[in-house]
Structure formats: C-alpha cells, structure tokens
Amino acid sequence: SQTIHQWPATLVQPVGSPLSLECTVEGTSNPNLYWYRQAAGRGLQLLFYSVGIGQISSEVPQNLSASRPQDRQFILSSKKLLLSDSGFYLCAWHHPGGGQPQHFGDGTRLSIL
Amino acid sequence: DAKTTQPPSMDCAEGRAANLPCNHSTISGNEYVYWYRQIHSQGPQYIIHGLKNNETNEMASLIITEDRKSSTLILPHATLRDTAVYYCIVRVPRWTGANNLFFGTGTRLTVIP
C-alpha cells in the first residue's frame, strides 16, 4: 500500500531563517505531488505541484520554492522566512486522470517568531 | 469546478449511522464527488469518491442522487474517532496540470457518547 511521510511535524523558526520541509511517498511511482498551505480556519491554498522529477509549477508567487530531486521526494524551501509564512503545510500525491483521489500527509505546523 | 453546500455542523450518537449531505446542483457530467475529513491538527483523510453510481468501501458509503445534484456520505456506525470536519468536493479530474482541491467550510460532525 502507498504511504506518504512529511517531516517535521512541527517547526518553530525565527524570521529570516531558512526552511526545508520534506515529503516522501512510498509504494507508488510517477505520482503527481503537491504542496498546500492551510491557514487557520481556512481552506487549502495550492503552492506548488509537480508531475515529474525536476518539473515544478508554482501557483502563487511568494518567497517559497519547491524541488523534486527524486520521483517520490518533494521538498519545500525558503531562503528567508517571513511572518506570513506561518501555517499548516500539507504534501499530497495522486495518480493523474481517472478521478483518482489525492492522499495527504500529516502536515507540518510552521510557526514563525 | 461546481460549488458545494454543506451544513456547518451535525451531531450523531455513537453507534448510529451518520448521514452527511452535500448539495452540488451545478455539477457537470464529468465532475467527480470526493469526500475527505480532517481531524484537528492532522492532514485531510480521503474517504470515498464517485461519479454516478453509489460507492461503498471499508470506511463509508456514498449515495449520489440520480440527477447528481446532491450526495450523502454515510458512516454506518459512527465512533468517537469519527468526530471531524467533513468536506465534500466536486471537480473534474485533469490528466495534465494541477488537480488541486478546493476545500470549503465543510460539516463539523460531532459524535456524542
């Protein structure tokens, strides 16, 4: 069966510090991968998605970036965090087409001080 | 993607069936209905999805009306661990590009002992 792992679960970072969140998927190949951010009491905001290694599409301009160095690895990064980067970050995967659902990781709660 | 309407909250007695409605009167012929739930501080959990026919899996049943303008998620024997926010999402699956999900406000289900 397929599983998705995100780490760390929680993170507290000072303003201006760098960020690296990692997501890995097991038990499948060639998944589409997604990074979302969920603000408190609000819906999901799509940040990045990837359909293959090295292929990244950005949905919202910001000081975050994403990379996909391996088929089942998706990384969210920032060189200098802003207070507004606080939130709940979710990684998800699915197989495209045919109505296949997305499956989410447990998320990373990021607090910027 | 079609808009969905869900009641903001519902209660259900433990051990009874929980029936969560969703209205999607503007749904188009190729849009799927997806149900997810989110327990506080966790990532969204996929429950079930369907296009036209009723569906059942180990977690729940999905009943879609013949005109597809509404659906009901049924948790046959609710437990305290089913207390969560339940989201009904309608969207067309895409073979290319992002298949991002838009979560509305959902229904907060509280299972009462």
Side-chain angles (χ1 to χ4, degrees):
Chain A
S1 62
Q2 303 92 353
T3 56
I4 179 169
H5 303 281
Q6 270 188 258
W7 66 93
T10 60
L11 189 61
V12 180
Q13 292 284 96
V15 170
S17 64
L19 173 73
S20 180
L21 302 181
E22 190 161 342
C23 171
T24 59
V25 181
E26 297 178 355
T28 188
S29 59
N30 303 316
N32 282 9
L33 297 172
Y34 298 80
W35 278 112
Y36 292 90
R37 177 168 58 205
Q38 186 177 37
R42 303 182 65 179
L44 298 181
Q45 177 188 33
L46 178 65
L47 302 176
F48 301 93
Y49 72 94
S50 171
V51 299
I53 296 174
Q55 300 180 59
I56 308 295
S57 296
S58 174
E59 292 293 305
V60 181
Q62 59 219 325
N63 69 320
L64 299 171
S65 62
S67 62
R68 185 171 176 174
Q70 300 180 46
D71 181 45
R72 292 169 290 175
Q73 184 184 28
F74 207 21
I75 298 171
L76 183 68
S77 304
S78 174
K79 293 181 179 179
K80 296 180 70 173
L81 286 167
L82 307 173
L83 284 174
S84 58
D85 291 325
S86 292
F88 191 44
Y89 288 81
L90 292 158
C91 181
W93 76 271
H94 83 120
H95 287 301
Q100 293 301 307
Q102 290 187 27
H103 299 276
F104 290 82
D106 287 334
T108 294
R109 189 160 302 281
L110 176 64
S111 298
I112 309 300
L113 303 180
Chain B
D1 298 324
K3 179 181 177 180
T4 62
T5 303
Q6 298 177 254
S9 64
M10 292 181 62
D11 292 338
C12 177
E14 188 178 17
R16 303 296 295 269
N19 297 274
L20 292 92
C22 180
N23 182 285
H24 32 80
S25 58
T26 60
I27 193 170
S28 63
N30 56 351
E31 287 184 300
Y32 283 73
V33 180
Y34 299 86
W35 282 85
Y36 286 80
R37 71 182 182 185
Q38 190 169 23
I39 298 170
H40 183 63
S41 297
Q42 295 183 20
Q45 179 187 22
Y46 164 74
I47 301 173
I48 200 168
H49 76 287
L51 181 61
K52 297 180 180 179
N53 300 322
N54 298 336
E55 302 287 345
T56 295
N57 63 20
E58 65 279 4
M59 290 183 66
S61 295
L62 173 60
I63 308 298
I64 303 175
T65 58
E66 190 171 348
D67 63 7
R68 302 186 70 240
K69 293 185 177 182
S70 65
S71 61
T72 300
L73 176 73
I74 301 173
L75 307 178
H77 305 286
T79 71
L80 298 179
R81 289 179 294 180
D82 293 322
T83 293
V85 179
Y86 287 76
Y87 298 96
C88 169
I89 301 163
V90 175
R91 69 162 292 117
V92 176
R94 296 182 174 85
W95 282 99
T96 60
N99 277 267
N100 52 307
L101 298 177
F102 296 96
F103 281 50
T105 54
T107 296
R108 182 173 298 278
L109 175 69
T110 302
V111 179
I112 302 170

